[in-house]
Amino acid sequence: MTITVTAPALKTEGAKAFLARAVQPVWIGGDWRVLSETFDSHDPATGGLLTRLSRAGQDEADEAVAAATRALSAPDWAQMLPAARQALLWRIADLIEAHADELAELECLDQGKTYATARFGELNGAIAQFRYYVGYATKLGGQTITPSIGYAPEGKQVMAYTRREPVGVVAAIVPWNSPLLMAAMKLAPALCAGCTVILKPAEETSLTAVRLCELLEEAGVPAGVVNLLTGFGHEVGEALGTHSGVAKVAFTGSTEIGRHLLGSAQGNLKKLTLELGGKSPAIVLEDADLALAVPGVARGIFGNSGQVCVAASRVYVHRKIYDAFAEGFAKAAGALRLGHGLAPGSDLGPLINPAHAARVAGMVEAGRQEGAEVLAGGQGNAEHPAFYRPTVLAHVTPDMALMREEIFGPVTTLTPFDHADEVIAMANDTEYGLAASVWTESLSSAHRLSAAVRAGTVWVNCHSYFSPELPKGGMKTSGWGVENGAQGLDNYLENKTVCMVI
Ligand code: NAD
């Protein structure tokens, strides 16, 4: 298996200039500052050094929380007119759009994803996030209420109204699989609501967060409204998660760290939204259109090398079409070309690092030992250790780790079923409840299964379709709360009731 791991020459001057800097700064209270402690950022395809990042810790977390707290009530932010906030969000979207090619190049280099995924999926998605919440900035009204209170003084009346106020300082903690998009999913509603933010990207993928914050400054985000702290989860992430000045943590990441954050939030009972892991089933019914289902499920698991929270990592296929599906699906997996995300012709890039690829390989190997059959893939690459071939496994039993744990790689299981009730039980036999897809031409099967599967999102005849209008959250251990849509904005707002005698 030959893999082109080297990146072609960068096309954008912006990405070249960014990588030419010795160390990337943090952004606190409007000041850009290079810290004395640094850590390295690598291209996962080659292992080569891309740049160095400032390593923030407790001191910088304290400073950023103080700056974000001051900015929350500063007149240039707290009293910004809704129309001005709307214009600001629009300017941010415009600037991301103007720099989308550069940001996409940086994202591919840093994360490993293909250019098509970065530029047309995630950059466009990030722009759409800001444009979506633009509309809400001028529409954050409360209600007027006439309460049934009969004991007001003679001749007086009671009236009441509600206000929607920003929740306060938000720590936005994001994972490495879709760094810029995940940051935008938090920043857009938080800024729309009038919150201030400390953005903490994953240590593996912080490059686009630095560039994004530079664009936020250029757009006119007032000093301290957004702060950027690069660094490690157990250091600066922990400092933010436990900080009494942080009112809310908006977290996307693993269920393990999500659980840990519950403990971190105890001190000041900070609000949490947790977008966590998944083990999402794709259910292919007897009447599915295989021309749609085979490539659709393949995209659902192999996109971004399977490093997607909603990845279709358990595929259940009706026994009558199982053989036909399995043949087409294994062929589709086998046809995918691995290579550097920026190299033309790559369908899949590397995994985030060799250690993660080794973990994925170890899970597949353990499954093999327990009796799983490899229909496609099942191999890493000794020369290029971050790459792992798209893998399809059969004969995986419900007790195996492959069926129960999030693999977060290009690996899925194929399991036959005979009846709808049986497959509903199989699909729900997981601690997770993030997403699912149902593939069928029957309207009633589509509705029945959509209702029966315990998952925050159910797609019918598609998988991994996202848009800012669509609320996205997880049931069971896949999380708390929702991102996107009007509900996503609610998480950044507090309700206040004002009741008065007049
Ligand atoms: P992770 O949980 O290891 O890290 C996520 C973020 O948390 C990183 O920024 C990390 O530095 C930080 N962190 C680590 N320890 C911390 C601590 N003690 N306190 C505060 N912050 C800490 O996750 P990951 O490996 O970066 O990402 C992969 C995971 O993210 C997968 O489980 C995936 O399913 C999940 N994910 C979920 C969604 C969703 O919307 N549900 C989307 C994308 C990814």
Side-chain angles (χ1 to χ4, degrees):
M1 172 175 57
T2 323
I3 301 180
T4 310
V5 292
T6 44
L10 292 177
K11 291 190 177 138
T12 64
E13 292 309 314
K16 288 182 209 165
F18 182 90
L19 294 174
R21 299 175 191 166
V23 182
Q24 308 298 336
V26 292
W27 191 33
I28 303 175
D31 293 331
W32 291 97
R33 202 187 309 164
V34 166
L35 302 178
S36 53
E37 292 231 34
T38 63
F39 63 103
D40 295 345
S41 180
H42 298 280
D43 177 341
T46 61
L49 179 71
L50 289 172
T51 186
R52 293 201 160 81
L53 292 144
S54 292
R55 180 173 177 170
Q58 182 71 52
D59 290 349
E60 289 75 24
D62 289 342
E63 284 183 59
V65 172
T69 306
R70 282 193 302 275
L72 195 61
S73 55
D76 61 353
W77 185 239
Q79 290 162 32
M80 183 181 268
L81 293 179
R85 185 160 296 160
Q86 184 175 51
L88 176 65
L89 290 170
W90 194 265
R91 275 199 304 281
I92 295 170
D94 279 350
L95 277 168
I96 298 174
E97 193 164 45
H99 291 269
D101 295 345
E102 164 195 343
L103 289 162
E105 280 195 322
L106 290 176
E107 200 79 307
C108 292
L109 278 178
D110 198 20
Q111 203 279 339
K113 63 181 73 246
T114 61
Y115 189 78
T117 304
R119 177 66 186 84
F120 305 111
E122 300 188 5
L123 260 300
N124 284 351
I127 295 161
Q129 286 292 328
F130 284 98
R131 296 237 160 96
Y132 176 76
Y133 284 109
V134 159
Y136 278 104
T138 50
K139 297 165 194 70
L140 291 180
Q143 289 178 294
T144 51
I145 302 168
T146 307
S148 298
I149 294 175
Y151 43 80
E154 187 70 25
K156 299 281 189 185
Q157 292 174 8
V158 184
M159 66 85 73
Y161 61 91
T162 59
R163 290 168 52 84
R164 299 181 86 200
E165 300 184 351
V167 75
V169 175
V170 174
I173 303 181
V174 297
W176 49 255
N177 61 326
S178 297
L180 189 98
L181 178 60
M182 298 287 147
M185 283 171 74
K186 293 169 172 45
L187 282 163
L191 296 181
C192 178
C195 294
T196 56
V197 181
I198 300 156
L199 175 61
K200 206 308 262 169
E203 46 271 47
E204 296 85 352
T205 55
S206 302
L207 270 52
T208 49
V210 179
R211 257 327 262 138
L212 175 65
C213 285
E214 289 169 348
L215 298 178
L216 296 180
E217 183 181 43
E218 195 178 329
V221 171
V225 168
V226 178
N227 305 270
L228 170 72
L229 296 180
T230 50
F232 290 89
H234 65 280
E235 295 176 354
V236 69
E238 184 71 20
L240 291 170
T242 50
H243 207 294
S244 60
V246 171
K248 169 184 163 69
V249 172
F251 175 78
T252 301
S254 61
T255 294
E256 181 194 350
I257 301 296
R259 280 202 178 97
H260 176 78
L261 282 167
L262 291 181
S264 308
Q266 277 178 46
N268 65 335
L269 277 186
K270 56 177 69 66
K271 297 185 168 36
L272 289 176
T273 37
L274 303 173
E275 301 287 328
L276 308 177
K279 192 73 187 164
S280 302
I283 302 171
V284 187
L285 298 184
E286 186 183 350
D287 65 350
D289 177 354
L290 289 191
L292 208 61
V294 169
V297 177
R299 272 193 300 277
I301 175 62
F302 300 127
N304 208 27
S305 301
Q307 300 166 124
V308 178
C309 53
V310 297
S313 53
R314 295 180 293 143
V315 184
Y316 298 102
V317 186
H318 194 280
R319 200 176 299 279
K320 285 198 181 148
I321 56 161
Y322 180 86
D323 288 343
F325 182 93
E327 189 187 339
F329 194 62
K331 204 165 149 197
L336 293 169
R337 294 158 302 175
L338 270 51
H340 195 288
L342 283 174
S346 298
D347 298 311
L348 293 190
L351 301 194
I352 189 64
N353 52 42
H356 184 50
R359 178 184 166 272
V360 170
M363 287 185 77
V364 172
E365 198 41 49
R368 248 186 201 148
Q369 302 290 330
E370 291 174 274
E373 180 192 352
V374 178
L375 302 184
Q379 313 134 288
N381 188 298
E383 202 183 340
H384 308 301
F387 286 85
Y388 196 79
R389 279 224 56 87
T391 298
V392 181
L393 300 165
H395 305 299
V396 178
T397 53
D399 54 311
M400 290 188 199
L402 283 171
M403 195 65 101
R404 308 216 73 81
E405 291 176 20
E406 186 178 42
I407 304 170
F408 222 56
V411 176
T412 196
T413 60
L414 277 193
T415 308
F417 68 89
D418 294 295
H419 305 291
D421 288 348
E422 181 193 6
V423 78
I424 291 166
M426 287 165 146
N428 287 336
D429 181 19
T430 170
E431 64 166 302
Y432 295 108
L434 193 56
S437 60
V438 179
W439 301 78
T440 178
E441 293 296 289
S442 154
L443 199 57
S444 42
S445 298
H447 285 299
R448 281 186 198 177
L449 267 80
S450 299
V453 175
R454 295 278 300 154
T457 298
V458 180
W459 291 287
V460 176
N461 294 329
C462 58
H463 199 106
S464 292
Y465 273 35
F466 294 112
S467 183
E469 296 86 359
L470 300 176
K472 174 179 174 300
M475 295 184 182
K476 303 199 274 183
T477 65
S478 289
W480 280 3
V482 163
E483 288 195 316
N484 289 352
Q487 286 166 274
L489 183 59
D490 287 344
N491 290 320
Y492 293 90
L493 291 162
E494 298 259 39
N495 185 78
K496 179 185 280 176
T497 301
V498 180
C499 178
M500 53 177 71
V501 171
I502 54 172

